[in-house]
Amino acid sequence: MADKKKIVLAYSGGLDTSVAVPWFKENYDAEVITVTVDLGMVDLEAIRKRALAVGAAKALTVDGRDTLVNEFLFPALQAGAIYEEQYPLATALGRPLIARYLVEAAQAEGAYAVAHGCTGKGNDQVRLDVGVTALAPELKVIAPVRDWGMSRQQEIEYAQARKLPINIKSSRFSVDENLWGRSVEAGELEDPWQEPPEEAYAWTKPLSATPDDPAYLEVHFDQGIPTAVDGEAMPGAALIRHLNALAGSNGVGRLDHVENRLVGIKSREVYEAPGAVVLHAAHKALETLTLSKDQARTKARIAQEYADMVYNGLWYSHHRHDLDAYVRSTQRYVTGDVRLRLHKGNCVVVGRSSPNGLYQHRLATYDSGDQFDHSAAVGFISIYGLPVRTQNQVQR
Ligand code: ARG
């Protein structure tokens, strides 16, 4: 046993990765060590037991919640990273952290390879493969589902023949979730004309079941990081969880997106991201008060670049490092409070305030107390309009 090759497998407890355990033992003559990462939404102990039951030599678990929030979610929030104006990138932000834990486990256990259950047509295989090989180029990455060519039915038969304790009841949707959101695809969602059925949703209420009265809340930010809700200081993971529940109960955070995958196809995915939707709206509102016009314009371009970079699996790039440095610098004065109204699926910013706000009432007001120099506007406009006047006079 001691000289057997070792493979570290990212294990979710689902059918694919449960079948992968005996499959590796049979086809690679290797011992399998599973790693299950808690990014906010899993029952680690139940999955650990199942890993051992399907034949893992060792089942490791990691609580990645705080690291996910502090090193991935909040930097992406500060960046304003939303893919194609819809998707707050929950799955995409979780993958590089899973890659990191896989590498750490492989190195600690002396494994020659890491493995994951991604298919060959999604973005996640790219994120994991690129992530792992960026951190540990010497490791081999194996994606059995990409290689074995079994249909779902064949996988079930394979599992039954080996008496694996799997539960096949699983839904018609493919779901991935972490603190930042829930990603749902497959089943009838593959028809982009069809309205997503209610069963696709789990974190958000249908409008018919949301309260008639609006809910108001206040989020406090310290240098672009949310630190308190309604005056109560909360650590990041608890704060996100709180907003997921509150916004979800008001039907906020449902997203229906036909997106452009890195592998060149379009796919229809439904997301639930109540906390992320609230925090992005609030953060952006605070930036309207605290960033200059030029900073805001440039930052909006960086936000798109950042979102593409995350979506496309390039987290462990120097490019990300550089973008982060820019983003962090922009957040120095993004401190203050935002007031929001949640009602019937809508999240609306209704107020914002900051000790560093660039909004000056004495300059903006139309009432008495106005200190804006109206007479200076005349000379400004004359020079500002000069090139337009000149060109229109000469080039008639
Ligand atoms: N399309 C999303 C992404 O690429 C989510 C992928 C995982 N989705 C799922 N339903 N399993 O980030």
Side-chain angles (χ1 to χ4, degrees), residues 4 10 16 129 159 232 243 248-249 265 269 294 303 313 332-333 354:
K4 268 229 166 123
D16 290 334
D129 289 21
E232 193 187 329
L243 292 181
S249 70
I265 54 182
E269 188 119 26
D294 289 333
R332 286 167 295 160
Y333 297 102
S354 168

Side-chain angles (χ1 to χ4, degrees), residues 262-322:
L262 178 59
V263 295
I265 54 182
K266 289 187 187 288
S267 72
R268 197 274 196 100
E269 188 119 26
V270 166
Y271 297 103
E272 292 181 286
V277 164
V278 169
L279 287 172
H280 271 293
H283 179 259
K284 194 170 180 188
L286 191 56
E287 286 192 335
T288 63
L289 214 51
T290 52
L291 297 186
S292 71
K293 177 177 171 180
D294 289 333
Q295 287 175 308
R297 296 293 191 278
T298 299
K299 189 161 181 290
R301 294 204 300 272
I302 295 296
Q304 193 180 340
E305 179 69 21
Y306 199 101
D308 286 348
M309 179 275 305
V310 170
Y311 188 87
N312 293 337
L314 300 176
W315 184 266
Y316 296 108
S317 61
H318 289 231
H319 187 40
R320 197 265 305 169
H321 226 79
D322 298 343

Side-chain angles (χ1 to χ4, degrees), residues 87 91-92 123-124 127 174-176 183-185 259 269 271 311:
Y87 169 38
T91 299
N123 299 310
D124 288 328
R127 297 166 184 152
S174 158
V175 177
D176 177 69
S183 308
V184 194
E185 63 184 3
E259 72 194 38
E269 188 119 26
Y271 297 103
Y311 188 87

Side-chain angles (χ1 to χ4, degrees), residues 84-390:
E84 295 181 340
E85 289 161 28
Q86 292 229 62
Y87 169 38
L89 295 161
T91 299
L93 287 162
R95 297 311 182 192
L97 181 55
I98 292 173
R100 187 203 294 178
Y101 290 135
L102 289 174
V103 167
E104 284 174 6
Q107 288 170 340
E109 300 289 336
Y112 81 104
V114 302
H116 57 72
C118 300
T119 70
K121 66 194 292 188
N123 299 310
D124 288 328
Q125 53 170 346
V126 181
R127 297 166 184 152
L128 287 171
D129 289 21
V130 172
V132 167
T133 52
L135 296 173
E138 70 283 2
L139 282 176
K140 189 172 153 56
V141 187
I142 313 172
V145 179
R146 207 162 51 186
D147 300 337
W148 64 33
M150 277 192 274
S151 68
R152 187 176 166 80
Q153 190 49 40
Q154 286 167 322
E155 286 182 40
I156 291 171
E157 283 158 20
Y158 183 97
Q160 283 169 341
R162 286 159 187 76
K163 302 203 163 34
L164 302 184
I166 48 153
N167 55 14
I168 336 174
K169 60 130 205 36
S170 91
S171 89
R172 57 198 198 271
F173 305 115
S174 158
V175 177
D176 177 69
E177 47 186 19
N178 64 40
L179 277 171
W180 208 226
R182 184 168 176 273
S183 308
V184 194
E185 63 184 3
E188 62 265 50
L189 300 176
E190 289 178 357
D191 178 355
W193 176 249
Q194 261 208 58
E195 181 172 356
E198 204 44 48
E199 307 86 79
Y201 298 106
W203 294 13
T204 53
K205 287 251 174 72
L207 296 190
S208 57
T210 60
D212 289 331
D213 293 328
Y216 285 86
L217 76 152
E218 286 179 22
V219 183
H220 180 77
F221 288 85
D222 188 0
Q223 301 199 327
I225 303 285
T227 56
V229 175
D230 292 327
E232 193 187 329
M234 294 182 201
L239 183 144
I240 294 169
R241 202 181 284 280
H242 175 71
L243 292 181
N244 279 337
L246 180 64
S249 70
N250 282 282
V252 168
R254 293 187 174 188
L255 305 159
D256 180 350
H257 188 191
V258 174
E259 72 194 38
N260 291 294
R261 281 194 195 166
L262 178 59
V263 295
I265 54 182
K266 289 187 187 288
S267 72
R268 197 274 196 100
E269 188 119 26
V270 166
Y271 297 103
E272 292 181 286
V277 164
V278 169
L279 287 172
H280 271 293
H283 179 259
K284 194 170 180 188
L286 191 56
E287 286 192 335
T288 63
L289 214 51
T290 52
L291 297 186
S292 71
K293 177 177 171 180
D294 289 333
Q295 287 175 308
R297 296 293 191 278
T298 299
K299 189 161 181 290
R301 294 204 300 272
I302 295 296
Q304 193 180 340
E305 179 69 21
Y306 199 101
D308 286 348
M309 179 275 305
V310 170
Y311 188 87
N312 293 337
L314 300 176
W315 184 266
Y316 296 108
S317 61
H318 289 231
H319 187 40
R320 197 265 305 169
H321 226 79
D322 298 343
L323 294 181
D324 264 342
Y326 169 77
V327 169
R328 223 176 298 116
S329 175
T330 63
Q331 300 298 292
R332 286 167 295 160
Y333 297 102
V334 185
T335 294
D337 296 278
V338 180
R339 193 155 179 265
L340 304 103
R341 187 185 67 227
L342 308 175
H343 190 221
K344 295 282 173 203
N346 292 309
C347 167
V348 180
V349 171
V350 295
R352 58 301 263 164
S353 99
S354 168
N356 313 318
L358 302 174
Y359 175 89
Q360 305 265 294
H361 184 266
R362 61 182 174 79
L363 293 178
T365 186
Y366 289 100
D367 295 339
S368 61
D370 177 10
Q371 290 178 19
F372 184 83
D373 184 352
H374 291 238
S375 63
V378 178
F380 164 73
I381 294 166
S382 167
I383 290 175
Y384 176 73
L386 181 60
V388 184
R389 277 201 315 276
T390 303

